[in-house]
């Protein structure tokens, strides 16, 4: 009686060696990938601009909320935005559609950029990048909301009160109002990103929390300078409203940087 024949074993190393290695992407391949990212990003922006244009009345009413909210506090004030040039209405339409479309399309644009950069990152780098991207988006949106609901209304309120005290009339234009609000909202949103920059510098060892604590007073001066640049009014109330959360974020960045330094020290101790 013959013994059953043994099942032939397969050498995985030989099979792996026999497989054709993946072809590295050439410069033109990367260029084609980049062209695809730019095309998808541009298409997303065009679609978002179309959505804003289609629902322009709703977007205009939402963006006018800070002004209407402040005007409700002055019921006897006769106020209306007026245009001073024939082309101003087109400029306002274009500004609202472009800025609104860019904000709406920015998550998709960031996603496409992430897809393009992701193959060049290791798994560890991807896990490290995602929290920073999420934190950056949260800080930016928090800054925009803080400016829209609190800072813009404060600046408008102070401006109206000063003009009434002096006895000046009101001849505000839509272009001036929306330009001020765009600058203030986007400027504050970007300013709220600065603690993330500090944490990144500490993460890469370029800056230490000891340095941040030592120059805390200098940081306060810099924060008030940034507040004076970003805020359209020179009144200390509006600048103070903006500077306080920036300083709080500075202290949070020191705490987060301290945790990063402790984890780094623990890793070095374990490795040694």
């Amino acid at each position: 009686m013959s013994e059953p024949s043994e099942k032939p074993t397969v050498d995985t190393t030989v099979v792996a060696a026999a497989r054709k290695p993946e072809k590295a992407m050439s410069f033109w391949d990367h260029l084609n990938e980049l062209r695809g990212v730019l095309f998808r990003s541009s298409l997303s922006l065009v679609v978002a601009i179309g959505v804003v244009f289609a629902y322009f009345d709703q977007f205009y009413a939402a963006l006018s909320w800070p002004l209407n909210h402040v005007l409700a506090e002055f019921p006897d004030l006769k106020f209306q935005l007026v245009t001073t040039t024939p082309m101003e209405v087109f400029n306002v339409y274009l500004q609202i559609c472009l800025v609104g479309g860019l904000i709406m399309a920015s998550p998709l644009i960031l996603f496409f950029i992430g897809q393009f950069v992701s193959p060049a990152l290791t798994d560890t780098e991807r896990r490290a990048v995602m929290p920073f991207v999420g934190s950056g988006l949260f800080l930016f949106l928090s800054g925009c909301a803080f400016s829209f609901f609190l800072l813009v209304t404060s600046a408008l309120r102070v401006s109206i009160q000063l003009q009434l005290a002096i006895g000046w009339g009101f001849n505000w234009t839509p272009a001036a109002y929306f330009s001020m609000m765009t600058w203030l909202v986007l400027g504050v949103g970007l300013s709220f990103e600065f603690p993330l920059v500090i944490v990144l510098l500490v993460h890469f060892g370029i800056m230490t929390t000891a340095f941040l604590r030592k120059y805390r007073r200098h940081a306060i001066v810099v924060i008030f300078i940034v507040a004076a640049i970003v805020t359209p009014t020179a009144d200390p109330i509006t600048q103070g409203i903006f500077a306080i959360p920036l300083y709080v974020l500075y202290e949070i960045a020191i705490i987060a940087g301290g945790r990063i330094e402790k984890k780094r020290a623990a890793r070095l101790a374990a490795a040694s």
Side-chain angles (χ1 to χ4, degrees):
M1 187 173 179
S2 59
E3 296 181 359
S5 58
E6 296 181 359
K7 188 177 180 180
T9 59
V10 180
D11 191 350
T12 56
T13 59
V14 175
V15 175
R19 291 176 181 170
K20 187 177 180 180
E22 294 183 1
K23 183 180 178 182
M25 293 181 65
S26 64
F27 170 77
W28 298 109
D29 293 332
H30 285 291
L31 192 61
N32 287 331
E33 289 286 337
L34 180 60
R35 184 175 61 181
V37 171
L38 294 177
F39 174 76
R40 292 191 296 271
S41 300
S42 302
L43 182 61
S44 302
L45 179 59
V46 171
V47 172
I49 290 175
V51 171
V52 176
F53 181 79
Y55 295 93
F56 183 84
D57 292 341
Q58 289 81 354
F59 279 93
Y60 180 84
L63 295 177
S64 301
W65 178 86
L67 180 60
N68 295 331
H69 177 74
V70 174
L71 290 178
E73 303 175 6
F74 304 90
D76 297 332
L77 178 63
K78 295 181 180 180
F79 183 93
Q80 186 178 8
L81 294 175
V82 296
T83 58
T84 57
T85 60
M87 300 300 295
E88 184 168 350
V89 62
F90 298 101
N91 295 333
V92 172
Y93 260 87
L94 184 62
Q95 181 181 3
I96 293 177
C97 289
L98 283 177
V99 176
L102 183 60
I103 294 175
M104 288 181 60
S106 57
L108 274 178
I109 294 174
L110 291 176
F111 174 74
F112 295 143
I113 295 174
Q115 279 187 322
F116 178 73
V117 177
S118 179
L121 302 177
T122 63
D123 293 337
T124 304
E125 289 172 338
R126 291 192 191 99
R127 288 193 297 268
V129 166
M130 290 306 297
F132 282 108
V133 173
S135 301
L137 182 61
F138 173 76
L139 288 172
F140 177 75
L141 295 178
S142 299
C144 291
F146 170 80
S147 177
F148 183 80
F149 291 105
L150 186 61
L151 207 58
V152 173
T153 55
S154 174
L156 292 173
R157 185 180 296 107
V158 172
S159 178
I160 291 176
Q161 289 173 345
L162 288 177
Q163 288 192 221
L164 289 177
I166 297 175
W168 290 350
F170 292 86
N171 195 27
W172 294 1
T173 65
Y177 168 71
F178 286 109
S179 296
M180 181 272 293
M181 190 184 63
T182 301
W183 165 259
L184 196 56
V185 171
L186 296 182
V188 174
L190 292 175
S191 299
F192 269 47
E193 300 283 353
F194 93 95
L196 187 62
V197 176
I198 293 177
V199 173
L200 284 173
L201 293 176
V202 174
H203 176 75
F204 290 111
I206 301 175
M207 187 177 291
T208 62
T209 54
F211 175 86
L212 295 174
R213 293 188 181 95
K214 179 180 179 181
Y215 292 96
R216 182 180 276 113
R217 294 181 180 178
H218 299 78
I220 295 175
V221 175
V222 173
I223 286 173
F224 272 95
I225 292 175
V226 172
I229 294 174
V230 174
T231 53
T233 59
D235 65 285
I237 298 176
T238 304
Q239 293 180 9
I241 293 174
F242 180 32
I244 291 174
L246 286 183
Y247 177 73
V248 173
L249 291 174
Y250 181 81
E251 294 294 337
I252 294 175
I254 293 178
I255 296 173
R259 295 183 61 181
I260 292 175
E261 289 178 338
K262 288 180 180 179
K263 290 181 179 180
R264 182 191 301 145
R267 287 196 303 266
L268 293 176
S272 61

